[in-house]
Amino acid sequence: MAEVVLFSLIEKMTTAVATAAVRPRGCGARSQHNVHEGMIRIKSKLEEMQEFVKSMSTYRSEHETVFVSWAKQVQDVAFDIEDIVDEYTYVVAGGSWGGWGAFVCGLFNDAKATALREIARRLEAIEVSLAQLSGMEELPVIRILQRMPELPGEPQRGYHLAESAHIIEEDELVGIDDHKDRLIGLLTDEEPRRTAVAVFGMGGAGKTTLVTRVYRDGAIVSHFSCRAWVFVSPSYNVNDLLRKILRALLQERIEEVTDDFDSMEYRNLVEALRSHLDRQRYLIVLDDVWQVSIWTDISYALIANSCRSRIVITTRMQEVASVAGGSRVMRVDPLPEEMAWALFCKKAFPREEGSVCPPALEHWARRIVDKCEGLPLAIVAIGILLSYRDRAESTWKSMHDGLTWSTTEHTGLHRVSRILSLSIRHLPYHLRNCLLYCSLFPDGYLIGRNRLIRLWVAEGFVKERRERSMEEVAEDYLNQLVGRCLLQVTHRNESGRVRFCRVHDLIRELIVARSREEHFAEAYDGEPEDLSDRIRRLSLLQGAGADERLSEKMPLLRSFLAFSSSSTSLLSKCRLIRVLDLYTAPLESLPDEIGHLFDLRYLSIRRTNVRHLPKTLGSLQKLETLDAVYTHIEELPSGVTRLESLRHLMVKKFHRQTSRYTVLSGGVVVPGGMDKLRGLQTMKAVVVGDETTVRHLRRLTQMKSLDIRGVRTIHSKLLSASISKMDRLVRLVVMARHKDDTLLLGNLTPPPRLRKLSLYGNLEKGMTSRWPDSLRALTHLVLKMSRLKADSLSSLMELPNLVSLFLMQAYDGTELCFRAGRLRKLKSLWLYDMIHLSRMEVEENALESLRELRLVRCGKLKTIPVGIEYLGRLQKLELESMPIELVEKLQGGGQTEDDRMRLQHIPVIENWFQRDGCWMEERLS
């Protein structure tokens, strides 16, 4: 708890001390020197306390009453220090503090000196508090706790929880038959070498239950000459683990453990294990493994004989599972809806014939099961609890309304909480911050990858590593949380990257409770009186207008995410805000006061009705992300050129939606001088004003994503030269101004990392012929209004790594043929507004990876694509506003027997059409 707060604060103080170290001059110099010295002393003391907290966390559970009480006081003082550091940074920057006591407008000369003296006085008081807390480290009870190795802390609880999963009833084994058969197959196959098999999934998903059933299966018992099952402590000791394995093997053979067993050193343990396992076909189960290093630590001791021996690892972490190799990793996911319902009924209604739920209870019973989100551990726990309750509908409704996993006193439900909490507790501090931050999003909310990454960066959770940007490091954090089963991926793009993720309901409940307890963050959906003024981060889930009262209560707020409010009144009071996310808020303007938020790093007004940005925007010297996508803004104020910390500038003017997937949006006019923003990585979508704007682009060498619009023919060659300087560019969008303008990009030297390319407008003749050689890294291609001929189209079909192709008014031909061997990695193909296209053909071995084919407004395409039977991996064929002749041929999976044979491998065929202004879906197969 306190360790995470201390780490973040120490890093912030390091920066503040460096600022204070700059030799001050003039009025206030002495006071600033005193602040500098005080910060150095406090930082040193915090580092000592951080080491102490680490040592305590190693030995004792975080729930130890004495330690938690002390750590809570440390956290409160740390928050006070953070406030002082932020206020000091503001004062040094010459900011205006409005009505904050001594911090009056200007803060220059005497006022600034007064402010610095006040900060120095507060630092002195903080030093006294820290001295008192440091003295508590020497209390006998604290020292005794520190010396007591793992009494009885979280590892022991984890052990007993794992053991209880090892003792299972047959009726709890729902939905694992397929997994069981596959696991038995992997353990008994003919591979002679010793191999590892990993069973991977989130806590409570049923990994241990599955492996237990297999471990006890008669075929497995008879197949192996010796077996051992060992629970692995998260803070395992190699020697102790080897002793556990050896003891389990000896006990299975009913052999006595020698007197010197507990004193055996590593070398002797390894020799004893290897001797015991030599020429044996053994099975070792390592249950609940947390560290990849375990394989390196013990694999030598588990002799690699050629007797078809096997090692099974159960883990919550994808990284650990990877030691087994891809084909020997089994993922255990939460149960699908009907299997979850079947398991619940077995536990909740054991005395009913057939374990059938009474009709009067089904509504609330199903809603209770929904809260478990398919997690067998939770389903069994709540089912057993309800099996003893009366059958009154009001009782079950009350149970649903009051169901909380994090605070329940019921033993079974609390067990669920403890098992899932292990996954959170054993996170490193940087991942823990990132996960707790997700508690700010509503239940079931789909969180976009880029949005989450930029929020983490703005919060200071991410640090650059060598040549990797903070955004790249943050994406690695995201993948680690996914790999630990703490975030669930809901959508991936064609390249396999996370697009959207969410938090499992049970995990969310735990992190919401923990965030609130630690004053880390609060997802607010009640009354302001329920909130602590210590909360640093707040999201408003409901109660529009309530934030008018919040500003008075929470002047030290650092982050505000609004999901239901249009009020910005808090901006006049909460001057320390770093993150202001007003995504989709019913908002029409931003007040000038936003310019006073000197520490603001992230500002989002995406999908709002805002039409203008205030002129004071240029005062936000620390702003890193400005997201104004799909607003009504047409022009940026001149002050934007002063935002030298800006990394991501995203502005798009919303026009209208032309289909379910296509949104027309325009660029936004930017002022001259954008070349001053040398740190820009993202800029979309900006309008080219003149030649100077295009020429200045070459100075933005950090650019990774560029969307530029309004390009005229006379600009395009100069634009090519500027883009060629952007060697980090990954995504490029270029849109011509008029339909008669031609994009003369033939002399463009494509940046080596370019993966996504979108071109809107006529293309220079012969331009695509160079693409197969110059765009080999390209994975996504969008062409609109290109009016390509057959020879030009054939060139882009030779792009070797393309996974997504979107063509809209891009081809003037009547026939489109995908030749054998072309676009073999393509997964998505979208054909829009091909007004002349009447025939489409796919040759064998073309598009062999295609998963999705979408045909939209191709008015002359009235026949099923020839060769569609060769698209063996096609999962979905989707039509939108297509000719009725084609729709009828696809109806029922094919109108004729021949068509049905050609289409039978496609799981989903859908037709979308408009009726009375609404989109309607028709399932054709």
Side-chain angles (χ1 to χ4, degrees):
M1 177 171 64
E3 181 183 351
V4 175
V5 176
L6 287 174
F7 188 93
S8 299
L9 179 56
I10 289 168
E11 292 215 329
K12 179 178 282 192
M13 291 199 72
T14 300
T15 302
V17 166
T19 303
V22 177
R23 182 63 62 186
R25 295 181 181 179
C27 185
R30 182 174 183 80
S31 296
Q32 190 167 345
H33 175 75
N34 291 340
V35 171
H36 173 234
E37 295 299 316
M39 284 190 176
I40 289 176
R41 293 192 298 271
I42 288 174
K43 177 173 174 284
S44 175
K45 178 56 66 176
L46 290 176
E47 288 171 338
E48 292 176 11
M49 298 175 83
Q50 183 188 30
E51 290 304 312
F52 175 74
V53 171
K54 283 183 180 179
S55 68
M56 286 295 297
S57 297
T58 300
Y59 291 102
R60 299 297 300 176
S61 162
E62 63 177 334
H63 299 296
E64 183 64 56
T65 304
V66 176
F67 174 63
V68 166
S69 176
W70 177 84
K72 182 68 168 60
Q73 295 176 62
V74 171
Q75 178 182 266
D76 288 343
V77 173
F79 282 153
D80 290 336
I81 297 171
E82 183 183 31
D83 294 340
I84 294 172
V85 171
D86 285 342
E87 291 171 22
Y88 168 76
T89 304
Y90 183 72
V91 170
V92 171
S96 171
W97 208 262
W100 274 49
F103 304 109
V104 295
C105 289
L107 283 182
F108 297 110
N109 302 324
D110 292 343
K112 182 172 182 177
T114 300
L116 289 171
R117 284 195 296 272
E118 173 64 13
I119 289 174
R121 185 194 65 76
R122 291 167 66 188
L123 286 175
E124 290 176 2
I126 288 292
E127 287 190 73
V128 173
S129 298
L130 286 178
Q132 294 172 344
L133 288 170
S134 296
M136 291 180 66
E137 297 176 20
E138 303 301 324
L139 290 176
V141 65
I142 294 284
R143 285 303 180 191
I144 291 172
L145 289 174
Q146 190 180 24
R147 291 193 296 268
M148 293 171 66
E150 297 188 354
L151 280 178
E154 199 72 33
Q156 281 67 34
R157 283 203 292 269
Y159 173 79
H160 293 305
L161 291 169
E163 286 296 294
S164 64
H166 197 46
I167 305 169
I168 56 175
E169 298 178 21
E170 195 66 22
D171 66 354
E172 292 181 21
L173 304 171
V174 171
I176 66 172
D177 287 338
D178 291 343
H179 285 314
K180 176 198 171 189
D181 293 342
R182 185 186 168 202
L183 183 54
I184 289 176
L186 290 173
L187 298 182
T188 59
D189 63 14
E190 296 299 321
E191 171 59 55
R193 297 171 298 174
R194 178 205 69 186
T195 61
V197 177
V199 180
F200 159 63
M202 71 179 293
K207 303 180 298 294
T208 300
T209 302
L210 166 64
V211 176
T212 296
R213 184 173 185 183
V214 171
Y215 187 79
R216 294 176 177 174
D217 189 272
I220 294 298
V221 173
S222 61
H223 183 76
F224 291 97
S225 53
C226 59
R227 301 175 304 147
W229 181 297
V230 177
F231 169 76
V232 183
S233 167
S235 55
Y236 76 94
N237 174 279
V238 179
N239 287 4
D240 288 343
L241 184 56
L242 293 178
R243 287 190 190 95
K244 285 183 180 180
I245 297 172
L246 186 55
R247 181 182 285 110
L249 290 167
L250 293 173
Q251 288 175 345
E252 187 193 38
R253 291 191 174 186
I254 320 179
E255 296 182 24
E256 291 187 8
V257 177
T258 58
D259 293 337
D260 62 345
F261 183 80
D262 289 332
S263 62
M264 291 174 67
E265 295 298 327
Y266 177 77
R267 180 176 177 179
N268 293 332
L269 287 167
V270 170
E271 289 176 351
L273 262 174
R274 290 178 65 86
S275 175
H276 189 92
L277 298 175
D278 188 28
R279 300 182 183 181
Q280 299 287 328
R281 181 184 297 168
Y282 62 83
L283 171 63
I284 308 291
V285 176
L286 303 175
D287 192 22
D288 209 12
V289 178
W290 293 80
Q291 292 95 355
V292 177
S293 58
I294 191 173
W295 186 249
T296 305
D297 290 340
I298 71 169
S299 60
Y300 180 70
L302 305 179
I303 189 168
N305 55 31
S306 298
C307 301
R308 296 162 61 189
S309 297
R310 301 289 183 261
I311 301 168
V312 176
I313 297 170
T314 73
T315 181
R316 310 177 189 204
M317 302 174 63
Q318 194 170 25
E319 184 182 24
V320 173
S322 65
V323 303
S327 64
R328 292 183 173 267
V329 175
M330 293 183 55
R331 177 162 186 148
V332 179
D333 290 315
L335 297 174
E337 182 179 352
E338 286 312 308
M339 286 186 178
W341 176 249
L343 177 58
F344 173 79
C345 289
K346 283 187 176 183
K347 306 309 294 182
F349 310 110
R351 294 174 295 278
E352 303 287 341
E353 185 177 351
S355 297
V356 175
C357 174
L361 300 179
E362 184 166 350
H363 172 74
W364 293 109
R366 286 194 178 272
R367 293 189 64 178
I368 289 169
V369 173
D370 288 343
K371 282 196 172 188
C372 300
E373 287 212 27
L375 208 62
L377 177 72
I379 295 167
V380 170
I382 193 68
I384 291 174
L385 174 61
L386 288 169
S387 68
Y388 299 109
R389 298 296 174 95
D390 65 61
R391 297 294 192 252
E393 183 180 1
S394 59
T395 300
W396 285 56
K397 179 184 182 300
S398 176
M399 187 69 189
H400 168 271
D401 294 343
L403 180 58
T404 55
W405 304 97
S406 56
T407 58
T408 179
E409 295 299 321
H410 185 270
T411 304
L413 303 190
H414 193 50
R415 174 173 172 261
V416 177
S417 171
R418 292 205 306 271
I419 286 181
L420 294 176
S421 293
L422 280 173
S423 297
I424 301 170
R425 186 189 172 211
H426 292 290
L427 284 172
Y429 75 91
H430 56 282
L431 294 184
R432 190 173 183 275
N433 272 344
C434 292
L435 178 64
L436 291 184
Y437 197 80
C438 294
S439 67
L440 289 169
F441 294 93
D443 186 17
Y445 192 86
L446 298 187
I447 312 169
R449 178 194 70 232
N450 287 334
R451 181 186 184 189
L452 188 58
I453 282 173
R454 288 165 186 158
L455 284 168
W456 286 347
V457 170
E459 292 285 355
F461 298 158
V462 184
K463 303 301 175 187
E464 289 182 321
R465 293 181 187 168
R466 298 178 184 173
E467 298 300 316
R468 304 184 69 196
S469 68
M470 286 190 284
E471 288 78 8
E472 290 170 332
V473 174
E475 185 167 0
D476 181 52
Y477 290 176
L478 173 60
N479 290 330
Q480 288 185 51
L481 289 172
V482 170
R484 290 170 178 259
C485 300
L486 291 170
L487 291 180
Q488 296 178 324
V489 178
T490 60
H491 300 82
R492 292 185 183 271
N493 64 17
E494 294 85 353
S495 300
R497 294 175 72 195
V498 175
R499 285 190 62 199
F500 291 94
C501 62
R502 65 182 292 273
V503 187
H504 188 285
D505 281 358
L506 271 69
I507 295 292
R508 181 181 180 275
E509 184 173 323
L510 294 176
I511 63 175
V512 164
R514 187 157 298 198
S515 293
R516 183 181 296 121
E517 175 190 339
E518 299 178 13
H519 303 306
F520 178 88
E522 177 82 40
Y524 164 82
D525 57 2
E527 291 297 321
E529 291 73 20
D530 299 333
L531 292 171
S532 164
D533 57 6
R534 287 288 187 179
I535 292 293
R536 277 354 202 198
R537 301 169 184 91
L538 176 69
S539 65
L540 196 61
L541 304 186
Q542 64 181 24
D547 51 326
E548 296 177 7
R549 292 171 289 169
L550 293 175
S551 60
E552 298 293 333
K553 188 176 180 64
M554 309 185 71
L556 302 180
L557 196 66
R558 298 305 197 274
S559 302
F560 181 68
L561 285 73
F563 293 94
S564 66
S565 173
S566 60
S567 173
T568 53
S569 61
L570 58 84
L571 300 185
S572 62
K573 297 289 184 179
C574 304
R575 300 294 183 84
L576 297 178
I577 283 184
R578 295 170 62 102
V579 168
L580 183 59
D581 191 333
L582 304 173
Y583 177 41
T584 70
L587 191 70
E588 295 188 356
S589 64
L590 282 176
D592 289 339
E593 285 85 352
I594 198 167
H596 299 312
L597 305 181
F598 83 103
D599 205 28
L600 191 66
R601 313 296 174 94
Y602 181 101
L603 172 61
S604 174
I605 52 173
R606 179 182 287 238
R607 292 188 180 275
T608 66
N609 292 319
V610 172
R611 295 182 178 276
H612 304 281
L613 287 171
K615 294 180 180 179
T616 57
L617 188 76
S619 301
L620 304 177
Q621 293 298 298
K622 295 184 181 181
L623 192 66
E624 298 171 351
T625 295
L626 174 58
D627 185 349
V629 171
Y630 298 144
T631 63
H632 298 285
I633 294 170
E634 296 184 351
E635 185 175 355
L636 293 181
S638 59
V640 74
T641 60
R642 301 199 302 272
L643 305 179
E644 297 184 4
S645 298
L646 202 61
R647 300 160 70 89
H648 307 285
L649 174 62
M650 298 166 290
V651 286
K652 280 187 183 181
K653 184 177 184 299
F654 175 80
H655 286 319
R656 60 191 174 90
Q657 191 156 353
T658 61
S659 76
R660 293 180 308 111
Y661 296 99
T662 308
V663 176
L664 289 183
S665 59
V668 175
V669 177
V670 297
M674 294 296 291
D675 57 310
K676 298 175 185 176
L677 308 182
R678 302 296 177 86
L680 269 183
Q681 298 179 20
T682 305
M683 185 164 68
K684 60 180 185 184
V686 300
V687 174
V688 173
D690 51 32
E691 185 176 297
T692 302
T693 304
V694 178
R695 182 178 291 109
H696 283 177
L697 284 175
R698 70 175 62 197
R699 298 177 184 172
L700 304 179
T701 56
Q702 302 298 307
M703 194 68 68
K704 293 183 178 180
S705 180
L706 175 64
D707 184 337
I708 189 158
R709 307 191 175 192
V711 178
R712 299 181 61 185
T713 303
I714 58 173
H715 296 148
S716 51
K717 287 191 177 181
L718 185 58
L719 179 62
S720 293
S722 295
I723 293 172
S724 296
K725 299 288 186 181
M726 302 176 182
D727 58 2
R728 300 187 180 191
L729 200 65
V730 174
R731 180 180 181 272
L732 173 64
V733 178
V734 180
M735 182 181 292
R737 177 175 294 185
H738 301 297
K739 65 178 181 178
D740 296 329
D741 282 308
T742 300
L743 299 176
L744 303 176
L745 304 176
N747 64 338
L748 172 66
T749 302
R753 305 182 190 183
L754 191 65
R755 294 198 307 269
K756 297 183 178 182
L757 175 63
S758 300
L759 301 176
Y760 299 24
N762 292 325
L763 300 184
E764 182 180 5
K765 187 177 181 179
M767 179 178 166
T768 61
S769 64
R770 294 183 287 273
W771 285 5
D773 294 324
S774 60
L775 294 173
R776 299 190 66 82
L778 201 68
T779 59
H780 294 67
L781 177 62
V782 176
L783 297 179
K784 295 186 179 181
M785 301 174 290
S786 305
R787 306 298 186 190
L788 297 178
K789 306 302 180 185
D791 56 345
S792 298
L793 198 62
S794 64
S795 297
L796 66 87
M797 291 188 185
E798 295 179 12
L799 291 169
N801 292 302
L802 209 60
V803 297
S804 176
L805 177 60
F806 183 111
L807 300 176
M808 182 176 186
Q809 300 177 26
Y811 177 57
D812 280 339
T814 59
E815 296 188 3
L816 179 58
C817 181
F818 295 90
R819 301 295 181 189
R822 303 294 177 87
L823 299 178
R824 304 183 72 168
K825 295 184 179 180
L826 197 72
K827 295 180 180 179
S828 295
L829 175 60
W830 296 12
L831 302 178
Y832 275 57
D833 297 316
M834 303 292 196
I835 59 176
H836 301 297
L837 185 65
S838 60
R839 184 177 185 273
M840 177 178 170
E841 180 180 355
V842 180
E843 294 185 355
E844 192 171 5
N845 297 324
L847 306 179
E848 57 188 24
S849 299
L850 196 69
R851 304 291 181 87
E852 179 183 32
L853 173 60
R854 186 171 295 155
L855 305 173
V856 179
R857 296 188 299 270
C858 299
K860 292 186 178 181
L861 186 58
K862 301 176 181 179
T863 59
I864 298 173
V866 177
I868 196 169
E869 63 270 19
Y870 298 136
L871 303 179
R873 297 186 180 181
L874 190 64
Q875 297 295 305
K876 188 175 186 180
L877 171 60
E878 187 171 315
L879 312 180
E880 183 180 316
S881 303
M882 290 294 288
I884 188 62
E885 293 89 342
L886 177 58
V887 174
E888 289 176 349
K889 289 182 173 67
L890 295 170
Q891 193 77 44
Q895 214 173 31
T896 68
E897 185 61 31
D898 181 55
D899 287 343
R900 284 192 287 272
M901 291 294 293
R902 295 167 60 203
L903 299 167
Q904 63 180 351
H905 64 288
I906 307 175
V908 177
I909 303 177
E910 291 179 348
N911 178 44
W912 288 84
F913 57 94
Q914 278 192 309
R915 179 179 295 168
D916 299 327
C918 298
W919 284 104
M920 310 290 290
E921 177 191 6
E922 178 184 17
R923 189 71 175 261
L924 302 181
S925 75

